[in-house]
Amino acid sequence: MSANINLPRILRVGAGASRQLVATLRELGIHRPLLITDAFMVQQGYCAGLESQLNEAGIAYGLFDRCVPDPTTDSVDDALSVLHGGDFDGVVALGGGSSMDTGKAVAVMAELTGGIGEYKVPYQIDSGLPIVAIPTTAGTGSEATRAAVITDTKSQEKMLCMGLGLMPVAALVDYELTLSMPYRLTADTGIDSLCHALEAYVSRKANPFADSIALTAMSSIYRNIRTACAEPDNREAREAMMLAATQGGIAFSNSSVTLIHGMSRPIGALYHVPHGLSNAMLLPEITAWSVAGAPERYAHCARHMGMAAVSDTDTIALGKLVDALRQLNRDLAVPTPREYGIDETAWSESLELMAGQALASGSPDNNPLVPSAADIVGLYRRVWSQS
Ligand code: NAD
């Protein structure tokens, strides 16, 4: 069976890549971009860095700086009203996954009627304004994916939107923008990338193109994440994490995420746990449950990341994989749902709802072991009982 691979047309990667904005816009024929970001990026001066490039080149642009973490249908509408107020022919999205996904949603909604909620999966959004993505976290890989995650303000569902229209035409992947990330953000977004790579590799939609990129990404993340957290100025570790995050995005966008992401989105939506952190809370236990569906592939991951020896049998490698993921969570001080402050009764009462939302996203169907709703409820219980 052949695989259908989608990538940005331009990837500029490395120190200073974000200073190539004007050249990138010219290559793409974008003359009037709308810059989409959040207040923190303005305050940090990252936004001014882009604006001075545009001003020097005499490129007229607009600015929307009210992106919120875990973008909502309301925040997308807010940005969309700014887009409709000008004559923009492209979007430049600067920030973490939240700002990039806001930019993506706005770019596709420019040509659609109604609200973004009407276009969640299984709908495929295949057109929109061109998007230039500039990530400032080493995590979501959104700069190279054909996905956006938007929370429905009314139902609180974290909706997955997919399609070629959401794939940036260009990504400026500049690790220097991640040097300011604090410990928790570095750890959580880094584990998000690790999940992307691991899930892409074991997914039922895995393919040789995504496999090789996923393996490279997971090994790089596992070897560098502790250093990037402990030494925020370590440029080598930051560079490795940023590249691996983009690779993780490419891997899962051309394969898929699986059960971890499927179960993670409802936790984020209901309990406002940052995306990478809810993935981290789930990673060891969901992996422990899923390995039975693809033992050879999971064991290969363990060996590739250096968690298990090449000479280890699959069974031993699988045990070491789960142990190493539990240890990683301890090393990075990942809180359990209880330690994060989630109320036990609320958690118990939301299990069916969360399982339903997880299944509706389609991601669990790609898991090596496909879960029923009852299995997912059991897994949420298990994750709580580790608290
Ligand atoms: P984020 O974008 O929500 O940012 C979290 C916070 O970190 C924000 O306050 C932001 O201002 C701040 N921040 C960003 N860059 C920083 C920097 N360099 N230094 C200091 N602070 C910085 O976090 P995220 O994890 O990058 O994105 C999460 C969102 O991305 C979620 O909504 C998730 O569902 C989505 N996501 C999307 C995809 C995709 O393919 N589209 C994939 C995975 C996750």
Side-chain angles (χ1 to χ4, degrees), residues 38-41 44 46 67-71 95-101 104 135-151 158 160-161 166 176-182 185 188-189 192 196 249 252-253 261 265 274-276 279:
D38 69 18
F40 183 79
M41 292 294 127
Q44 281 294 106
Y46 289 148
C67 290
V68 295
D70 293 332
S98 296
S99 293
M100 289 191 283
D101 283 7
K104 288 174 163 197
T136 63
T137 58
T140 69
S142 180
E143 64 275 12
T145 75
R146 54 190 171 84
V149 183
I150 307 294
T151 300
K158 238 179 151 182
L160 180 62
C161 299
L166 294 159
E176 291 186 329
L177 303 181
T178 68
L179 291 167
S180 55
M181 279 204 293
L185 189 62
D188 296 345
T189 53
D192 188 22
H196 291 156
F252 93 76
S253 186
H261 268 74
R265 291 185 208 101
H275 176 70
N279 284 343

Side-chain angles (χ1 to χ4, degrees), residues 98-303:
S98 296
S99 293
M100 289 191 283
D101 283 7
T102 306
K104 288 174 163 197
V106 166
V108 296
M109 288 311 295
E111 296 181 354
L112 294 171
T113 53
I116 183 80
E118 292 164 45
Y119 302 98
K120 66 180 179 182
V121 291
Y123 192 96
Q124 289 291 309
I125 313 175
D126 284 332
S127 63
L129 292 179
I131 303 154
V132 177
I134 309 178
T136 63
T137 58
T140 69
S142 180
E143 64 275 12
T145 75
R146 54 190 171 84
V149 183
I150 307 294
T151 300
D152 187 317
T153 309
K154 286 202 188 87
S155 70
Q156 289 300 300
E157 179 191 352
K158 238 179 151 182
M159 301 176 298
L160 180 62
C161 299
M162 298 281 291
L164 263 189
L166 294 159
M167 172 65 80
V169 287
L172 309 185
V173 184
D174 185 346
Y175 74 88
E176 291 186 329
L177 303 181
T178 68
L179 291 167
S180 55
M181 279 204 293
Y183 184 101
R184 191 72 268 144
L185 189 62
T186 305
D188 296 345
T189 53
I191 294 193
D192 188 22
S193 304
L194 182 59
C195 291
H196 291 156
L198 185 63
E199 291 178 80
Y201 189 76
V202 300
S203 162
R204 286 171 175 262
K205 291 185 177 161
N207 58 76
F209 178 90
D211 282 356
S212 58
I213 297 173
L215 286 170
T216 304
M218 72 178 79
S219 148
S220 187
I221 295 160
Y222 188 66
R223 290 167 207 273
N224 286 284
I225 190 168
R226 290 175 177 87
T227 309
C229 288
E231 302 168 27
D233 294 330
N234 187 314
R235 297 173 70 87
E236 220 173 292
R238 291 293 198 186
E239 182 168 21
M241 291 296 292
M242 183 77 257
L243 178 59
T246 302
Q247 290 169 326
I250 290 172
F252 93 76
S253 186
N254 288 295
S255 169
S256 73
V257 284
T258 59
L259 184 54
I260 297 171
H261 268 74
M263 289 178 63
S264 173
R265 291 185 208 101
I267 299 177
L270 289 184
Y271 299 110
H272 305 290
V273 180
H275 176 70
L277 190 54
S278 52
N279 284 343
M281 289 170 177
L282 296 166
L283 173 59
E285 297 318 315
I286 305 311
T287 303
W289 185 80
S290 302
V291 290
E296 285 174 16
R297 288 184 80 82
Y298 276 108
H300 188 62
C301 291
R303 294 188 195 99

